[in-house]
Amino acid sequence: MHSVSLLGCLCLSLSLTLSSASPQLNLPTPQPEVFYNGYTPNVATTPAQLRADRDRDQRYGPPYSDAGGGGNTDDGLDDFRFGQTDDERMRIGYGYPTPRVNFSDSPFSGARFSNHNYGPISSTTERNYGNDANPNGRYSDVPYSSQGERNFNPNDQYNYNNNPNVEFVGINNRNRFENPFLSNQDRFNLNQGYLERQRYQQDRRYQQELEKLRILLVESDQKGSLECTANVAAQWNFETNVNDFTQTEALNAQQRYVEFQRITAEQSKRINKDLIFDRRLYRQLMLQSEVGPNALPLDVLDRYNRLLNEMLFLYNSAGICAYQQPFQCDLHYIPQLKDIMAKSRDWDELQHTWVEYHRKAGRGMRDSYEQLIDVMQEVAYVNNVTNGGEYWYLAYESGNFRQDMDIVWEQIRPLYEGLHAYVRRKLRDYYGPDRINRIAPIPSHILGNMYGQSWSNVLDILIPYPGRKLIDVTPRMVEQGYTPQLMFQLAEEFFTSINMSAVGPEFYRNSIFEQPLDRRVLCEPSAWDFCNRHDFRVKICTDINQRSLISVHHEMAHIQYFLQYRHLPKIFRNGANPAFHQAVGDAIGLSVSTPRHLQTLGLLQRSLDESSYDINYLFTMAIDKVAFLPFALSLDNWRYDVFSGNANKRTMNCHYWNLREKYSGIKPPVLRSEKDFDPGAKYHIPANIPYIKYFFSTVLQFQIYRGLCRESGQYVPGDPRKPLHQCDIYRQPAAGNILKTLMSKGASQPWQEVLEETLREGRLDGTALREYFAPLEEWLRQENLRTNEYVGWNYDGDYCKRSIETAGLQIFGGYYNGATGQKSASYLYPLIILIYLYFSLRLL
């Protein structure tokens, strides 16, 4: 009787499991076939949402997409759809409310607060940062006294000894944020209570109920796959035939699927998971229980969605007047402003464009974003996370994720500083020393990009060897009669040559490789998993050029990922974390873009052994990939700080520029104030979409690439004949076997374990990127020595002030972008303040 009573909560959850499969879950009935010839008038969308949804891809993009060459995304609307996977959408939420459902008679009737291994804590809980009393380390959710004993508040609803809904406390003290790579641990670790675990596992009744749970999960997985298929089909129909009707169907299908996921998550949360000792089963239930903002009460969820829609409307409608043309005031970021920032070399025009766009796009949404910060605390609470900052990095399964990423950045920083110093000198030579200080941060508006996140558009100013053209095989591709289908067949052959799967004829029948003539298609490259284990497609309007060739291989890498993990339950059919899909595609792009591979394809006639070609090639890669890293890191570390309360709302714009200066050595073109809200000019901020995955994937692609090249013998550290940047894994089955192992694990294990088991590296490592760019780093070091260039940057004055009046005075002071250095600035600043005070007193 004792063992049966210990199983009470689990048995109560499953007592009716096998009698009737569908009523057990009380889930929406799946529809295997979906017809799109009927009109559904009831669309849960508001006029504000419709205005905000200027482009379908802003909210309903496919799981995996790419914008050319597998490189880093650019800005705004054209880089949202990179990798916002289904599970990530679940965490971050959708831009419309979903109805609530009463679960009082659900068979998943376990304790509401059972199994809070990472749950809410009372006001008496102390944050322990790792000591003898609490070896779990930072952000442990268990209250400890100074002597290391647990403190229990008898009035605390989350006290497991006091809560009548919680029957089992023997293994309940699991910390979600323990090191997931310790033995027998992961984010949902099962490392405790060995004796109880052994006793339960030997109990026949327990085994019977556990088997019922497995069967129940299989049925839930099947229904989830059907619902997912119906939703993806509706999104595909819209993106490949854009009209009002297909958009309505896409909205309806999306809403149905979100509701299905929410119900499944809510019912999964009601299972007492303390008695589930199978790590895989436990992980499946925990991942299925994460519901994101959809767990909010209806009124709060409505507020969350309304805030996002208001900010997106401001972002989408932001338009400015052209420089020195006050009557031409319909310039939007895409396409006009993006084009100006890329092509103009007029300092004043670039500054005007930057200042006006940040004023129009960002300033108006500051109040809404301050409200969103409050709502994100509630999102964290309902998802059993301590604060909005921890929730923001939840998918990466680490209690010290921000610190981990800072460590990775420190590994890469020397390369970035050398690149930054060289770029600053070239820009100073171009614009003049009176505008760019030789030891100061670089003004962000002259880097060819609205956000200074990629410097590729100013390559004409920066290129190390202007007389050496970059490799471009486009003319040879046209000459040899390349077609879009041939390019995909080459990509398929690339993967089969490394012992991976062929895609099959269904892929070619269903995919779209070219822009149809009879309908509008959203042409951005994207790979689609229809959730049925056999239907995988690509949508891309292929051009016959080198960039498209690399992009085609990138998309085919996503398809290979789908193929390799299709045997897993749906909840595991994903990358090991949100960055893995993108990183794998980009790692393949690194191999395909090498001169060696292009020679193998017959697109390059001769070997380019001159170091000048190598330096130009690596430099072109660096001003895209390396320059991007500090921007991505600073953007989401800023969000972590404001969501966790580390940064005050009243100073959050200045905090943003402090981080940009700290990580990037970039400053605004004019002094900013707390009246501004400059982060809001980046699409991912009003859309509330995580950005750290781009930092992670950019670093990880080199780590994966190094592992593949090393295993295949194409890269030998220290051997100048086999440098990493010249490695091509084509026709190297050893590399393909590693890639297959990594892909086949999907999300069934923590990403740290996936890396350890495939690459023998249990963490993200920036040294691979340094090794790839080693020849360029050495060239930059010698070049900066030759020109006596200062490496790094010094703070040369305030970039942001709370006081609008003081900020205005300093802008017109004239020293901000001057090259006279800190000394002249330090004399000028007190003089300006004295003048300001003098006139203020006279006015009084």
Side-chain angles (χ1 to χ4, degrees):
M1 290 296 294
H2 177 68
S3 63
V4 172
S5 64
L6 284 174
L7 288 168
C9 193
L10 182 59
C11 295
L12 179 62
S13 299
L14 303 169
S15 59
L16 302 174
T17 303
L18 293 177
S19 60
S20 176
S22 295
Q24 276 300 302
L25 287 175
N26 192 26
L27 299 175
T29 303
Q31 301 175 4
E33 289 191 81
V34 182
F35 300 93
Y36 301 99
N37 55 359
Y39 179 70
T40 306
N42 298 322
V43 180
T45 190
T46 65
Q49 285 173 267
L50 291 175
R51 289 192 297 271
D53 285 336
R54 184 181 67 178
D55 225 331
R56 151 73 174 76
D57 68 324
Q58 289 179 5
R59 283 172 45 209
Y60 299 104
Y64 306 101
S65 49
D66 172 50
N72 291 321
T73 60
D74 202 47
D75 331 301
L77 311 184
D78 54 344
D79 67 340
F80 160 60
R81 294 203 327 281
F82 272 68
Q84 195 198 11
T85 59
D86 290 334
D87 71 315
E88 188 172 359
R89 287 193 180 113
M90 203 62 188
R91 288 191 294 270
I92 304 305
Y94 289 91
Y96 49 74
T98 55
R100 307 296 290 176
V101 176
N102 185 355
F103 293 96
S104 59
D105 54 356
S106 167
F108 286 152
S109 53
R112 173 63 183 88
F113 293 109
S114 63
N115 193 50
H116 270 252
N117 59 320
Y118 51 91
I121 55 176
S122 70
S123 59
T124 61
T125 302
E126 297 178 358
R127 290 279 171 244
N128 189 298
Y129 288 80
N131 50 41
D132 294 335
N134 177 16
N136 289 337
R138 188 173 184 268
Y139 291 121
S140 173
D141 288 345
V142 181
Y144 283 86
S145 69
S146 59
Q147 288 77 31
E149 299 177 352
R150 286 198 54 175
N151 295 326
F152 291 104
N153 179 357
N155 298 318
D156 184 3
Q157 64 172 323
Y158 304 120
N159 179 343
Y160 299 118
N161 281 345
N162 185 58
N163 190 341
N165 290 325
V166 180
E167 297 184 46
F168 319 108
V169 297
I171 58 170
N172 214 24
N173 304 335
R174 301 183 187 128
N175 181 357
R176 182 188 198 105
F177 293 124
E178 286 186 16
N179 182 355
F181 193 64
L182 294 179
S183 176
N184 196 34
Q185 288 189 25
D186 57 16
R187 168 189 182 181
F188 318 115
N189 71 80
L190 303 169
N191 205 35
Q192 316 239 356
Y194 173 76
L195 294 178
E196 289 183 82
R197 167 180 177 174
Q198 190 176 42
R199 185 169 67 250
Y200 292 144
Q201 288 177 323
Q202 293 172 353
D203 186 276
R204 194 177 74 166
R205 178 72 180 277
Y206 171 84
Q207 293 296 332
Q208 290 174 343
E209 296 302 325
L210 196 61
E211 184 60 27
K212 292 178 182 179
L213 175 60
R214 289 193 176 98
I215 294 172
L216 193 65
L217 284 173
V218 168
E219 294 176 351
S220 173
D221 181 73
Q222 291 171 345
K223 292 184 178 183
S225 296
L226 288 171
E227 288 291 332
C228 178
T229 300
N231 174 53
V232 174
Q235 311 310 317
W236 173 268
N237 286 351
F238 172 71
E239 294 222 1
T240 58
N241 187 11
V242 179
N243 58 57
D244 291 341
F245 169 70
T246 55
Q247 183 180 39
T248 298
E249 291 295 300
L251 286 164
N252 285 334
Q254 190 76 77
Q255 195 167 10
R256 287 193 302 269
Y257 186 54
V258 169
E259 179 62 10
F260 174 88
Q261 289 183 304
R262 191 188 61 78
I263 293 172
T264 304
E266 189 68 31
Q267 293 181 341
S268 298
K269 287 164 70 175
R270 291 175 179 271
I271 296 177
N272 179 13
K273 306 174 188 67
D274 286 328
L275 301 179
I276 301 173
F277 301 105
D278 184 308
R279 294 181 73 208
R280 188 182 180 92
L281 191 62
Y282 187 85
R283 183 176 178 84
Q284 186 175 351
L285 277 168
M286 292 303 296
L287 288 174
Q288 196 167 284
S289 301
E290 292 187 348
V291 67
N294 293 310
L296 291 167
L298 183 59
D299 57 334
V300 183
L301 180 61
D302 180 66
R303 181 187 176 202
Y304 173 85
N305 291 318
R306 193 166 58 248
L307 288 170
L308 295 192
N309 288 326
E310 289 172 358
M311 291 190 292
L312 284 171
F313 174 73
L314 290 172
Y315 175 88
N316 289 332
S317 60
I320 72 169
C321 298
Y323 178 59
Q324 294 183 342
Q325 298 182 43
F327 298 107
Q328 185 183 344
C329 294
D330 56 348
L331 274 62
H332 294 271
Y333 177 70
I334 294 178
Q336 296 96 343
L337 302 183
K338 182 178 177 180
D339 197 53
I340 291 172
M341 297 302 292
K343 297 179 180 178
S344 175
R345 298 295 180 259
D346 184 322
W347 178 287
D348 294 330
E349 181 183 23
L350 291 169
Q351 179 171 298
H352 165 86
T353 304
W354 190 98
V355 171
E356 286 301 298
Y357 179 71
H358 280 75
R359 180 174 66 87
K360 288 291 186 71
R363 186 178 290 186
M365 68 177 71
R366 179 170 181 134
D367 180 66
S368 295
Y369 200 83
E370 290 180 0
Q371 296 180 54
L372 178 66
I373 293 171
D374 296 331
V375 175
M376 287 300 294
Q377 306 314 306
E378 301 188 51
V379 172
Y381 175 79
V382 297
N383 285 278
N384 301 327
V385 184
T386 53
N387 59 59
E390 298 296 340
Y391 172 78
W392 200 245
Y393 288 158
L394 184 63
Y396 296 91
E397 311 192 39
S398 169
N400 301 294
F401 185 71
R402 174 169 180 173
Q403 292 87 338
D404 293 343
M405 294 304 99
D406 280 343
I407 290 171
V408 172
W409 172 241
E410 287 304 315
Q411 292 178 309
I412 300 168
R413 186 182 179 97
L415 168 61
Y416 177 80
E417 287 185 341
L419 181 68
H420 178 279
Y422 171 82
V423 168
R424 180 178 54 199
R425 177 177 68 83
K426 298 293 281 188
L427 291 171
R428 188 172 69 250
D429 292 344
Y430 187 88
Y431 286 105
D434 57 324
R435 284 178 161 158
I436 299 177
N437 192 313
R438 67 179 303 272
I439 64 171
I442 303 172
S444 63
H445 67 299
I446 58 171
L447 291 167
N449 178 275
M450 185 68 76
Y451 315 102
Q453 69 181 61
S454 171
W455 307 341
S456 299
N457 290 322
V458 290
L459 180 62
D460 57 308
I461 299 175
L462 308 177
I463 189 166
Y465 295 101
R468 298 290 189 271
K469 292 184 178 179
L470 298 171
I471 296 174
D472 184 8
V473 298
T474 301
R476 295 286 296 172
M477 292 174 65
V478 174
E479 179 184 321
Q480 295 181 18
Y482 270 58
T483 65
Q485 178 138 334
L486 175 61
M487 292 163 71
F488 273 94
Q489 289 170 343
L490 282 174
E492 181 183 13
E493 198 269 333
F494 178 93
F495 285 100
T496 57
S497 80
I498 60 174
N499 198 30
M500 300 190 73
S501 304
V503 296
E506 187 179 17
F507 169 79
Y508 289 98
R509 282 199 307 269
N510 296 333
S511 295
I512 289 181
F513 301 148
E514 299 180 79
Q515 170 72 60
L517 300 177
D518 59 342
R519 64 189 187 274
R520 183 190 168 203
V521 171
L522 298 178
C523 277
E524 289 80 4
S526 53
W528 297 67
D529 180 355
F530 278 70
C531 309
N532 56 15
R533 293 193 167 102
H534 65 84
D535 192 353
F536 310 115
R537 310 180 189 181
V538 161
K539 175 185 62 63
I540 177 174
C541 298
T542 314
D543 297 316
I544 308 302
N545 58 38
Q546 180 174 326
R547 180 172 180 175
S548 283
L549 180 66
I550 299 171
S551 184
V552 162
H553 284 74
H554 181 103
E555 298 308 322
M556 192 63 83
H558 291 313
I559 300 298
Q560 286 293 326
Y561 220 142
F562 300 155
L563 288 166
Q564 297 303 324
Y565 62 48
R566 62 179 170 177
H567 63 285
L568 297 173
K570 183 186 173 299
I571 198 69
F572 292 153
R573 279 181 245 155
N574 213 327
N577 71 32
F580 263 64
H581 252 283
Q582 186 70 22
V584 167
D586 286 345
I588 296 301
L590 293 175
S591 178
V592 173
S593 61
T594 58
R596 180 179 301 176
H597 185 73
L598 297 176
Q599 276 185 280
T600 304
L601 295 179
L603 295 173
L604 202 60
Q605 293 297 314
R606 59 188 179 87
S607 175
L608 301 174
D609 295 327
E610 293 183 37
S611 62
S612 57
Y613 284 102
D614 254 7
I615 297 302
N616 275 357
Y617 173 74
L618 289 173
F619 184 83
T620 304
M621 299 275 284
I623 59 175
D624 181 37
K625 294 180 181 290
V626 178
F628 171 79
L629 291 171
F631 170 79
L633 187 61
S634 60
L635 190 69
D636 256 17
N637 276 356
W638 174 81
R639 277 195 284 199
Y640 177 93
D641 288 344
V642 296
F643 287 160
S644 62
N646 294 340
N648 193 296
K649 292 180 189 178
R650 293 174 295 179
T651 58
M652 63 182 182
N653 196 56
C654 291
H655 184 63
Y656 170 76
W657 284 111
N658 287 340
L659 291 178
R660 291 298 310 275
E661 186 270 339
K662 171 186 174 182
Y663 288 110
S664 305
I666 301 296
K667 64 181 180 181
V670 299
L671 202 62
R672 313 305 287 160
S673 75
E674 288 301 331
K675 185 178 179 181
D676 301 304
F677 183 57
D678 296 325
K682 179 67 177 173
Y683 173 77
H684 296 70
I685 298 299
N688 208 36
I689 296 171
Y691 210 76
I692 194 66
K693 61 189 173 189
Y694 303 128
F695 175 88
F696 197 110
S697 68
T698 303
V699 177
L700 180 60
Q701 65 181 271
F702 293 96
Q703 192 171 350
I704 293 173
Y705 181 62
R706 179 178 65 180
L708 301 180
C709 294
R710 196 162 47 196
E711 187 69 21
S712 61
Q714 299 301 301
Y715 167 55
V716 179
D719 186 347
R721 296 169 299 175
K722 292 187 175 182
L724 182 56
H725 70 280
Q726 292 180 0
C727 162
D728 178 22
I729 63 169
Y730 181 56
R731 297 174 180 168
Q732 299 294 329
N737 292 336
I738 289 182
L739 205 53
K740 280 201 300 185
T741 303
L742 183 147
M743 291 176 169
S744 64
K745 295 178 182 296
S748 63
Q749 296 174 238
W751 64 266
Q752 296 94 332
E753 286 188 8
V754 173
L755 288 183
E756 179 64 30
E757 293 178 11
T758 55
L759 304 180
R760 300 183 297 278
E761 301 170 6
R763 62 182 180 86
L764 189 67
D765 185 4
T767 61
L769 183 144
R770 290 280 298 278
E771 290 173 30
Y772 182 91
F773 287 105
L776 175 66
E777 184 172 5
E778 176 60 21
W779 183 89
L780 289 170
R781 186 187 69 81
Q782 294 181 5
E783 183 70 8
N784 289 330
L785 281 174
R786 183 183 69 82
T787 59
N788 195 30
E789 190 64 26
Y790 182 81
V791 177
W793 52 86
N794 290 336
Y795 186 73
D796 65 335
D798 288 327
Y799 309 133
C800 181
K801 302 287 285 186
R802 285 188 63 182
S803 167
I804 304 301
E805 293 79 9
T806 304
L809 276 172
Q810 289 188 357
I811 287 173
F812 295 108
Y815 84 92
Y816 182 69
N817 278 324
T820 51
Q822 290 178 299
K823 183 175 180 180
S824 61
S826 63
Y827 284 116
L828 185 56
Y829 178 75
L831 179 61
I832 293 172
I833 296 300
L834 288 173
I835 295 171
Y836 171 70
L837 292 173
Y838 173 76
F839 283 105
S840 297
L841 290 173
R842 291 203 58 176
L843 289 173
L844 292 175

